[in-house]
Amino acid sequence: MTAMMLDDSEASDAELIGRARGGDRGAFGKLLERHYGFVYRAAYRWCGRKADAEDIAQDVCVRLGRAIRDYQGNGAFTTWLYAMTLNASRDMIRKRARDSAKTEAFGTYALIAGEGSAGAQDPAEALWAAVRMLPDKQRDAVLLVYGEGLSHAAAAEVMAISEATVSWHIHEAKKRLKLLMRSAGEV
């Protein structure tokens, strides 16, 4: 009863989640408002395109509406959101690969050959573009640790793998990135 009297801006995530699980649309809306920027930023790191990041964030919001009742509270809510965003990002990447495999292959060739778009001329953007070309697990580990600033342990929790495996994926990613960047003339 006291949770209902609290202003939503003062309510904790746990209180809002509890109320949202009970069907309180206002509490669910406040959760979305509170965490939308977080989801968008994580999605942008995975896909590198504003429009795609917006689509992913919207997809996560829809998924969250269906999945909020399943949230057990065993870990941080943001960790659960990371995992949901990661899955939505992977789904978008798979869909894009199915829909435009030839176009994507040409874009990758152009980036590696140094003929990429104006965004590829920025060394930081070229690096993130190369990160997005890594195999799934390597890309996810790099994006979580370097893009989102998570510890290896936190990234391991999001990826549902061991901390040592995260470290191995990052090590392998660094080797592959060095080759990709050297091929593109960035290193």
Side-chain angles (χ1 to χ4, degrees):
M1 184 76 170
T2 56
M4 294 298 225
M5 290 185 220
L6 286 175
D7 180 11
D8 281 346
S9 64
E10 297 173 14
S12 70
D13 281 352
E15 291 168 323
L16 291 174
I17 291 165
R19 290 170 41 199
R21 289 177 77 186
D24 184 336
R25 291 181 181 197
F28 181 75
K30 185 61 185 174
L31 267 176
L32 288 179
E33 182 182 318
R34 189 177 285 177
H35 294 287
Y36 183 85
F38 165 80
V39 170
Y40 172 82
R41 188 183 80 245
Y44 185 81
R45 284 284 185 208
W46 266 283
C47 68
R49 295 183 180 112
K50 182 180 177 186
D52 289 346
E54 290 168 350
D55 289 346
I56 292 167
Q58 289 298 317
D59 187 40
V60 170
C61 290
V62 170
R63 290 180 186 199
L64 183 61
R66 286 187 237 131
I68 193 74
R69 286 186 170 87
D70 297 331
Y71 177 66
Q72 300 296 316
N74 297 335
F77 183 65
T78 52
T79 301
W80 192 62
L81 278 178
Y82 264 130
M84 194 174 287
T85 304
L86 171 68
N87 289 335
S89 298
R90 284 179 178 160
D91 291 347
M92 164 122 356
I93 289 167
R94 282 188 213 108
K95 182 180 184 309
R96 183 182 302 141
R98 284 191 308 265
D99 293 346
S100 61
K102 290 180 183 179
T103 303
E104 185 119 349
F106 176 76
T108 301
Y109 170 78
L111 178 66
I112 291 173
E115 301 168 6
S117 66
Q121 293 177 9
D122 175 19
E125 185 53 37
L127 177 61
W128 285 116
V131 167
R132 288 188 287 277
M133 291 190 299
L134 292 171
D136 288 350
K137 296 288 185 176
Q138 291 176 17
R139 180 189 62 238
D140 296 346
V142 169
L143 289 170
L144 288 170
V145 172
Y146 294 106
E148 298 302 322
L150 294 181
S151 67
H152 287 215
E157 186 177 343
V158 170
M159 294 175 69
I161 58 178
S162 73
E163 188 174 346
T165 304
V166 168
S167 297
W168 180 82
H169 283 306
I170 288 176
H171 173 74
E172 291 299 308
K174 285 179 179 179
K175 290 191 314 190
R176 190 174 297 240
L177 284 170
K178 190 177 272 188
L179 291 173
L180 284 171
M181 297 307 286
R182 193 172 286 140
S183 296
E186 297 292 334
V187 177

